[in-house]
Amino acid sequence: MQTTNILQTPIEYLKGVGPLRADLLKKELSIFVYEDLLNHFPYRHIDKTVITPLASITFNTEYIQVMGKIIALDILGEKRAKRMVGQLTDQSGGMLELTWFQGISWIQKNIHIGATCLVFGKLTFFNGKPQLVHPEIELVQSQNFTAKNYLEPVYPTTEKLKARGLSGRQIAHLTRQLFTILPEGCIQENIPTEIVGRLKLMSRFEAYRSIHFPCNLTIFEAALRRLKFEELFIAQVRLHLIKLRRQRASRGVVFEKVGDHFNTFYNQCLPFQLTNAQKRVLKEIRTDTAKGHQMNRLLQGDVGSGKTIVALLTMLLAADNGFQSCMMAPTEILAQQHFEGLSNLLKNMPVELALLTGSTKTAERKRILKGLMEDSIHFIVGTHAIIEDVVQFKNLGLVIIDEQHRFGVEQRAKLWNKAIIPPHVLVMTATPIPRTLAMTAYGDLDYSVMDELPPGRQPVKTVHRNEMARASVMDFVKTEIEKGRQAYFIYPLIEESEKLSYEDLMQGYEQLKSFFPEPKFSISMLHGKQPADQKEWNMQRFVKGETQIMVSTTVIEVGVNVPNASVMVIESSEKFGLSQLHQLRGRVGRGSEQSFCILLTGSKISAEAKERIRVMCATNNGFVIAEKDLELRGPGEIEGTRQSGAVNFKLASIVNDKQMLEVARLEAEQLVVNDIELQLPENNSLRLFLQSAKGKTGWSKIS
């Protein structure tokens, strides 16, 4: 057993480290024990396995290692132009010039004419002659010298470490030193042997040795593949364990029948035919709610894909089985909208629907609380107000949460406690999450995707215009308003400063007033500094059509539904991220008229901003946009995942290793389904690994 503990030896005990360097390694790179050094991976390798004859140098040669005799060493130039120039030749008869501008005294002391040296560096040509500037050079003592038989690793380091003599090369010496003392059994296997064999993966010890010191690139790639797969596989096993254990432990109410409420609404009140995507999701929900386990489903649907109808049909299914439903939205505006939308759809149905928010009047609040306790109110829509302890249900069976990332785990848990058997949960989001990210960040929820627009909706036309075209953009907006439509003008929130954002918005507002003079046009304004009631009033004026233009910061992003608004102008759109632009665009195109999104930018924008705007103009598909966003920004930046810790991989990338992630997910799922307690002998090593790693990760807390 002694061998496995060697990896937990404090780093100061490694030859060449000692207490001072150990302190720095801990502070700068979080390297505390031998195992941490093993997991500090090189970012590239240098090939010093070949010694090239000087005669075979060509203009295409880049890095080169040569061995030969120094036949000349001279100091040339004065003061700043002072340099040392040497000539090297070898048996092939070729010639190479070596130049140093610094470290001249070291060369004078250690290198002399006639010495045989091994030299490595980046090749340049000066006046047609090959030359190495500041090459690495070492004296060759023995006659039968051979080159290294492994690629030399280069490690990430920091300025402070370099100052203490711990450059990337020194770290390589330490890692090399570590491998000389590690017995093979100390890095134990953590993937079942059968999977390792079937997927032709390298053994774990071999993979660690070969990712640091590979003999060649093929071996390095095999090591990288093994360790990437391990990261993805272990993460997926953990997620599937959380999900399956929760499913097995959780009881859920059973919706056993589809009854009158559902059928009457479906056959008589549906405003339009359901899309295939909506039908598929309803079927998945129907299956989940009939099992006797609690449903936990994430429903992703692009803006306007008809999530609300799916939610409503699920609520009717609950009512058919004698259960109440609640729908929770992050803001009053959104809750109000859901309430109005649902009331409209349910006007001919024998069900009672209520709205509960912070501003519900006392008498109405009393009526609602009584109705929920007596089960005379079947559906309730509201904000955080629903979570308060005074709100009690007679028979809560379904909880629907809109825009999941706005609610914390604790808030959701409070809803579970309002029923003896936990209610089914449907979480809806209009922020498309790329499949790969959903598999890693939300892997413990089942998830459904809706990727079709309902009939009668037209995709929004998106165009890019720069500052110079402002006048023609304003004319276009005018013609749309004259047709009776409304428009949004959105200004970026400048993160560093609320004051700057506010000034920007005010300036824009004044400028718009000159293009759209009162009383012919009226403009509402929304920004973060306004009190809540003023925001609400301004928003309502726009919703009712009393103002034609809404000037706003990104407050408008989530869920505002004004079918008559057909133009969205996004100012300084180069300052927005892709998914934010997509979310904003989703505020128009909600009626049957053609809608437009105009991306205004300055005349000079970065290549990345150009790419974002190109993607926006090319597609309306939120999933394509989310995938692209993931590529451009990396997973840590995408909403809600920064806290989850689920995507902090050292080697694997959920952008570049999609296929591997899919394989890891299938393997992990299969394994956990067959052996949820990991008790089978073949899963022993995996169980031990997960137990030993438990304290080191925040995985147990993920929900």
Side-chain angles (χ1 to χ4, degrees):
M1 202 54 217
Q2 188 53 43
T3 51
T4 47
N5 292 341
I6 189 169
L7 293 178
Q8 298 310 315
T9 310
I11 195 70
E12 45 265 44
Y13 294 110
L14 184 63
K15 190 177 169 194
V17 179
L20 286 176
R21 279 179 160 189
D23 263 1
L24 271 175
L25 285 170
K26 288 172 192 174
K27 277 185 197 135
E28 295 288 303
L29 298 175
S30 299
I31 295 176
F32 294 88
V33 295
Y34 288 0
E35 188 175 15
D36 299 331
L37 183 59
L38 279 186
N39 285 308
H40 184 64
F41 299 114
Y43 64 91
R44 66 186 178 98
H45 285 85
I46 294 171
D47 188 351
K48 294 187 182 175
T49 58
V50 178
I51 294 174
T52 306
L54 290 174
S56 61
I57 287 176
T58 68
F59 282 104
N60 296 329
T61 313
E62 196 180 5
Y63 283 92
I64 189 172
Q65 178 170 256
V66 293
M67 190 164 82
K69 262 202 176 78
I70 300 281
I71 54 166
L73 266 181
D74 300 298
I75 289 184
L76 305 177
E78 291 289 318
K79 292 183 181 167
R80 281 197 147 168
K82 186 175 169 186
R83 62 197 186 280
M84 175 163 251
V85 178
Q87 298 289 342
L88 185 87
T89 184
D90 68 1
Q91 290 164 339
S92 72
M95 188 78 87
L96 180 65
E97 190 171 275
L98 312 174
T99 307
W100 290 270
F101 294 94
Q102 290 157 348
I104 293 174
S105 55
W106 184 89
I107 301 288
Q108 284 174 318
K109 234 182 268 170
N110 294 286
I111 307 292
H112 50 85
I113 292 175
T116 301
C117 295
L118 186 69
V119 181
F120 176 85
K122 187 174 184 178
L123 196 70
T124 53
F125 284 85
F126 183 64
N127 289 341
K129 291 179 183 163
Q131 142 187 87
L132 295 179
V133 179
H134 285 279
E136 295 172 19
I137 185 165
E138 54 184 286
L139 285 169
V140 174
Q141 309 292 2
S142 90
Q143 291 302 307
N144 43 14
F145 174 85
T146 54
K148 286 180 175 151
N149 61 353
Y150 59 87
L151 303 182
E152 194 173 287
V154 183
Y155 292 88
T157 181
T158 67
E159 290 308 318
K160 278 188 181 167
L161 287 171
K162 283 181 192 163
R164 288 291 175 87
L166 279 172
S167 67
R169 288 185 74 189
Q170 266 69 43
I171 294 174
H173 286 306
L174 296 178
T175 313
R176 190 96 190 129
Q177 175 64 32
L178 178 58
F179 274 102
T180 61
I181 58 171
L182 287 184
E184 193 138 338
C186 74
I187 300 179
Q188 294 198 328
E189 197 46 80
N190 57 3
I191 299 177
T193 321
E194 188 270 326
I195 297 178
V196 171
R198 191 158 35 81
L199 298 180
K200 301 188 171 62
L201 297 175
M202 200 180 251
S203 81
R204 198 160 179 245
F205 182 85
E206 205 35 63
Y208 267 101
R209 186 162 54 199
S210 299
I211 198 162
H212 290 284
F213 302 103
C215 317
N216 55 45
L217 271 177
T218 313
I219 295 221
F220 168 74
E221 285 183 347
L224 189 60
R225 177 173 166 260
R226 149 75 213 217
L227 293 173
K228 277 182 174 184
F229 180 81
E230 176 183 310
E231 278 188 325
L232 295 168
F233 175 75
I234 296 291
Q236 288 297 317
V237 166
R238 285 184 167 127
L239 280 169
H240 282 294
L241 283 173
I242 293 172
K243 181 167 155 181
L244 276 179
R245 283 175 183 169
R246 189 187 59 206
Q247 278 176 0
R248 291 204 178 174
S250 79
R251 292 189 318 159
V253 296
V254 179
F255 295 173
E256 53 196 2
K257 62 175 184 192
V258 178
D260 291 346
H261 287 104
F262 187 98
N263 289 328
T264 308
F265 183 83
Y266 193 89
N267 297 322
Q268 293 169 22
C269 311
L270 255 188
F272 44 72
Q273 277 280 290
L274 292 188
T275 63
N276 289 330
Q278 285 172 314
K279 288 179 185 164
R280 188 187 66 239
V281 172
L282 275 169
K283 201 170 175 183
E284 289 167 345
I285 290 171
R286 178 85 192 83
T287 311
D288 282 355
T289 52
K291 281 180 179 165
H293 292 300
Q294 185 193 19
M295 165 174 87
N296 271 289
R297 190 166 279 283
L298 173 68
L299 171 56
Q300 310 183 72
D302 223 336
V303 176
S305 59
K307 296 185 292 296
T308 314
I309 287 282
V310 171
L312 174 57
L313 284 163
T314 310
M315 289 156 83
L316 290 166
L317 181 65
D320 277 337
N321 289 279
F323 291 101
Q324 294 165 293
S325 304
C326 83
M327 185 188 238
M328 205 158 88
T331 63
E332 286 210 10
I333 294 179
L334 256 178
Q336 180 77 41
Q337 271 184 17
H338 278 311
F339 176 69
E340 283 165 13
L342 294 175
S343 302
N344 230 339
L345 290 163
L346 291 168
K347 57 179 181 279
N348 302 322
M349 297 287 298
V351 286
E352 175 82 21
L353 172 71
L355 173 70
L356 183 64
T357 67
S359 50
T360 304
K361 301 278 188 291
T362 314
E364 172 68 354
R365 183 177 292 262
K366 275 189 180 153
R367 184 189 77 79
I368 291 173
L369 295 180
K370 185 166 180 280
L372 290 173
M373 279 301 288
E374 292 171 353
D375 196 12
S376 60
I377 292 178
H378 308 98
F379 302 159
I380 179 129
V381 177
T383 55
H384 294 72
I386 297 180
I387 299 173
E388 289 166 17
D389 294 338
V390 291
V391 182
Q392 291 298 327
F393 294 80
K394 183 172 185 190
N395 209 359
L396 180 64
L398 173 69
V399 172
I400 294 172
I401 295 172
D402 198 17
E403 291 305 332
Q404 122 98 9
H405 52 266
R406 307 286 168 116
F407 294 106
V409 179
E410 293 80 14
Q411 292 168 314
R412 299 210 304 264
K414 275 191 143 178
L415 283 168
W416 297 188
N417 301 333
K418 293 182 187 287
I420 300 161
I421 297 177
H424 293 300
V425 182
L426 181 66
V427 170
M428 305 196 297
T429 176
T431 311
I433 304 159
R435 184 172 158 65
T436 46
L437 194 59
M439 272 159 52
T440 39
Y442 298 101
D444 61 325
L445 293 170
D446 296 302
Y447 67 103
S448 305
V449 169
M450 290 192 346
D451 43 14
E452 288 174 64
L453 282 183
R457 288 276 177 94
Q458 300 184 41
V460 179
K461 278 189 180 162
T462 307
V463 293
H464 170 217
R465 296 285 180 265
N466 77 13
E467 198 47 55
M468 312 309 274
R470 180 173 293 276
S472 62
V473 168
M474 295 303 166
D475 290 341
F476 174 73
V477 176
K478 250 181 209 159
T479 58
E480 283 292 297
I481 290 177
E482 279 157 6
K483 288 181 196 167
R485 315 249 197 281
Q486 290 165 281
Y488 293 101
F489 278 81
I490 306 292
Y491 288 81
L493 267 176
I494 299 166
E495 276 191 9
E496 304 81 74
S497 148
E498 202 176 318
K499 189 163 165 272
L500 272 179
S501 296
Y502 181 67
E503 285 169 7
D504 226 34
L505 184 71
M506 285 311 179
Q507 221 176 330
Y509 179 61
E510 292 305 325
Q511 194 180 19
L512 280 178
K513 274 178 26 188
S514 62
F515 278 108
F516 300 98
E518 292 177 311
K520 188 178 175 189
F521 300 95
S522 51
I523 304 178
S524 290
M525 180 160 59
L526 264 192
H527 58 79
K529 283 189 169 179
Q530 291 169 335
D533 52 352
Q534 192 186 347
K535 267 188 209 164
E536 183 64 32
W537 185 74
N538 280 337
M539 191 65 231
Q540 284 309 330
R541 286 180 67 212
F542 186 66
V543 170
K544 290 173 187 157
E546 291 166 15
T547 58
Q548 296 99 332
I549 295 173
M550 165 64 78
V551 181
S552 164
T553 53
T554 47
V555 185
I556 203 84
E557 203 176 317
V558 170
V560 179
N561 188 16
V562 183
N564 190 42
S566 67
V567 187
M568 157 90 47
V569 179
I570 304 178
E571 296 272 357
S572 310
S573 52
E574 70 273 20
K575 292 181 181 165
F576 291 86
L578 250 181
S579 28
Q580 205 178 18
L581 286 171
H582 180 64
Q583 282 284 304
L584 287 166
R585 173 169 65 184
R587 300 298 115 230
V588 292
R590 302 178 83 89
S592 53
E593 302 301 331
Q594 177 65 61
S595 290
F596 304 89
C597 175
I598 302 165
L599 305 174
L600 271 175
T601 63
S603 39
K604 284 189 180 146
I605 59 173
S606 71
E608 196 178 296
K610 269 188 192 141
E611 178 61 8
R612 287 199 295 271
I613 283 161
R614 186 195 67 73
V615 172
M616 281 295 293
C617 295
T619 179
N620 274 299
N621 182 327
F623 291 93
V624 172
I625 285 170
E627 288 284 352
K628 191 71 197 174
D629 198 25
L630 186 62
E631 253 169 68
L632 291 171
R633 290 200 299 175
E637 290 296 314
I638 288 188
E639 196 143 28
T641 58
R642 195 188 277 120
Q643 299 79 16
S644 74
V647 284
N648 301 343
F649 296 126
K650 277 198 154 177
L651 295 168
S653 145
I654 62 175
V655 178
N656 305 326
D657 302 315
K658 285 181 195 157
Q659 280 173 310
M660 194 185 281
L661 173 58
E662 190 56 49
V663 174
R665 186 182 69 83
L666 292 171
E667 291 287 355
E669 190 171 21
Q670 193 64 49
L671 182 139
V672 173
V673 166
N674 294 338
D675 181 19
I676 193 165
E677 297 304 327
L678 304 182
Q679 291 302 331
L680 293 174
E682 59 266 34
N683 296 333
N684 200 21
S685 56
L686 175 62
R687 189 182 74 251
L688 290 172
F689 177 79
L690 288 174
Q691 283 168 348
S692 73
K694 210 169 203 165
K696 298 178 197 167
T697 60
W699 274 89
S700 48
K701 299 183 194 68
I702 280 197
S703 144

